Amino acid sequence: TAKKRPPVRSIRFPAAFQSLAVTKSVIPGLYVPASTSKYLSSLEHSKFIPCNQTRADQFNAANKLSKAGQVEANATAIKARQILQATKGVFEKVGMNFWLTAGTLLGWYRQCGLIAHTTDVDVGTWITEFNPDLEKLLNHPGHPIRIMHRYGKPKDGFELAVRGFGIKLDIFFHYKETKYTWTGGLRFKTLEKVRWIYPRDIPLCSAELFNDLYLVPCNTLAIIEAEYGPNWMQPDKEWAWDRSAPNMVEAGKFAESEKREVVQRFKNNGKRTF
C-alpha cells in the first residue's frame, strides 16, 4: 500500500503482536500482514514491556506461600487466565481494547503473575470506546461469561462486572479530564459515588501474563504509585476497595430516583434485578 500512504517507519523498540494472518507480497519470499489496517492498529500499542523477573523473585522469596496457599493461588491463576482470554475475545468482536489495571496490574508488575490472595480480575477501557454491543455479547445465552452487575451510567462512573470460570472480572471505564483521568465506583447500598484519580495520559504498551499478550499502561509505575502509594511492594490483605487507595475521592451520590438505572444486578440466567 506504499503508493497510497507513506510507508510505516521502522520499529525502534522491542515489539509484540498477536499472530496475524499473512499473505505473499510482490517480492518473492516476502510475506506481509493480510490486513494492513489490523497490523497498523496493533502497531500503535506494540511496544513490549517485559515483567521484571528479578523483582518478582525477590517479592516471592520475601512472601513465601504455604503449600496450601500455593495450590489455591495456582487454581485462581487458571481461572483468571480463562476469564481474561474470554473477555478479550468479546472485546475484539466489538472493536474495543482493554488493559490490565488495579490489582491485576500490580500483580503483573510486582510478581509477574497474580496476587496470591486476590479474588477477582481487573481491566480498564476508555468510555469513549464503549460499544453497547459489549453488553449484548456478554449476556448472550451460552456464553461462558455473564454480566453480574452494571453500576453507574456511561455519562458518570460506569462499571461492569462479569463472572465466569469461577471468578469475577471488573471492567472499569476511564474518563479523561483536562488534567487527569478517573474511574468510578459505587457503594450500591447508599448510592455513594467514589472516584480513583490517575495521570491524564495512559499510553498503552504490550505485556505478557499467563503466556498471553495483553495491554498495560506504558507508565505502569505512575499508575501503581497513584493507586497504592510508595509501599506497593508490601502486600496488604486488609485492602478495602472503597477506602484504602490514596487516589480515591468521594464524588457525591446518585439520587434515590436513579437507583433502578445505576444499580442493576443480574442472576445467572441473565434476568435483571434491582
Side-chain angles (χ1 to χ4, degrees):
T1 60
K3 293 181 179 178
K4 298 180 181 178
R5 71 183 81 183
V8 178
R9 293 180 180 179
S10 59
I11 297 173
R12 301 180 182 275
F13 48 77
F17 298 86
Q18 287 291 154
S19 295
L20 292 166
V22 296
T23 186
K24 290 182 179 180
S25 72
V26 295
I27 302 174
L30 177 66
Y31 289 80
V32 297
S35 171
T36 304
S37 60
K38 187 173 182 180
Y39 169 74
L40 292 175
S41 175
S42 300
L43 182 65
E44 182 181 358
H45 308 306
S46 64
K47 183 176 181 179
F48 184 74
I49 302 178
C51 72
N52 188 321
Q53 193 60 53
T54 300
R55 178 170 54 226
D57 291 342
Q58 291 173 344
F59 177 87
N60 293 329
N63 300 275
K64 289 184 177 179
L65 296 174
S66 64
K67 288 186 177 180
Q70 189 61 60
V71 170
E72 183 177 356
N74 291 343
T76 301
I78 291 172
K79 297 174 184 177
R81 182 182 185 186
Q82 290 173 318
I83 198 168
L84 277 169
Q85 288 176 331
T87 303
K88 186 176 183 179
V90 174
F91 268 67
E92 288 176 347
K93 286 182 179 178
V94 297
M96 294 175 63
N97 287 318
F98 70 72
W99 62 89
L100 307 183
T101 191
T104 304
L105 180 66
L106 176 61
W108 167 79
Y109 189 77
R110 186 174 68 185
Q111 54 214 85
C112 295
L114 206 65
I115 295 175
H117 58 271
T118 195
T119 57
D120 60 12
V121 180
D122 304 298
V123 301
T125 188
W126 294 112
I127 190 64
T128 51
E129 291 185 7
F130 176 55
N131 183 337
D133 287 341
L134 177 69
E135 292 184 84
K136 295 178 183 178
L137 284 179
L138 289 173
N139 263 348
H140 193 275
H143 198 275
I145 52 177
R146 305 294 295 276
I147 295 179
M148 283 182 62
H149 67 240
R150 182 187 197 272
Y151 290 164
K153 44 189 174 182
K155 291 185 178 181
D156 190 357
F158 195 42
E159 176 196 347
L160 293 174
V162 300
R163 188 170 184 84
F165 307 100
I167 195 169
K168 180 168 78 83
L169 181 144
D170 289 307
I171 303 171
F172 294 101
F173 289 84
H174 287 242
Y175 298 73
K176 184 172 287 190
E177 304 289 350
T178 304
K179 296 183 179 180
Y180 60 89
T181 295
W182 62 273
T183 62
L186 178 69
R187 299 184 181 111
F188 71 91
K189 291 183 178 180
T190 62
L191 300 185
E192 294 172 306
K193 298 183 287 184
V194 297
R195 289 181 179 180
W196 294 274
I197 308 300
Y198 300 98
R200 182 183 183 278
D201 294 318
I202 305 180
L204 299 176
C205 291
S206 294
E208 183 180 356
L209 179 64
F210 307 135
N211 296 315
D212 296 319
L213 193 65
Y214 293 104
L215 298 181
V216 299
C218 302
N219 53 343
T220 298
L221 182 57
I223 302 297
I224 288 177
E225 288 184 334
E227 188 155 16
Y228 297 98
N231 297 320
W232 54 268
M233 275 292 284
Q234 305 300 320
D236 183 0
K237 293 185 179 181
E238 303 302 319
W239 184 267
W241 72 269
D242 65 340
R243 64 174 183 271
S244 297
N247 66 332
M248 194 210 81
V249 297
E250 303 288 336
K253 63 185 299 183
F254 287 110
E256 191 66 30
S257 60
E258 299 176 279
K259 186 172 184 177
R260 289 180 65 85
E261 178 184 2
V262 301
V263 179
Q264 298 181 19
R265 302 167 72 86
F266 297 83
K267 298 180 180 178
N268 289 337
N269 59 9
K271 291 185 176 180
R272 186 175 305 179
T273 61
F274 299 91

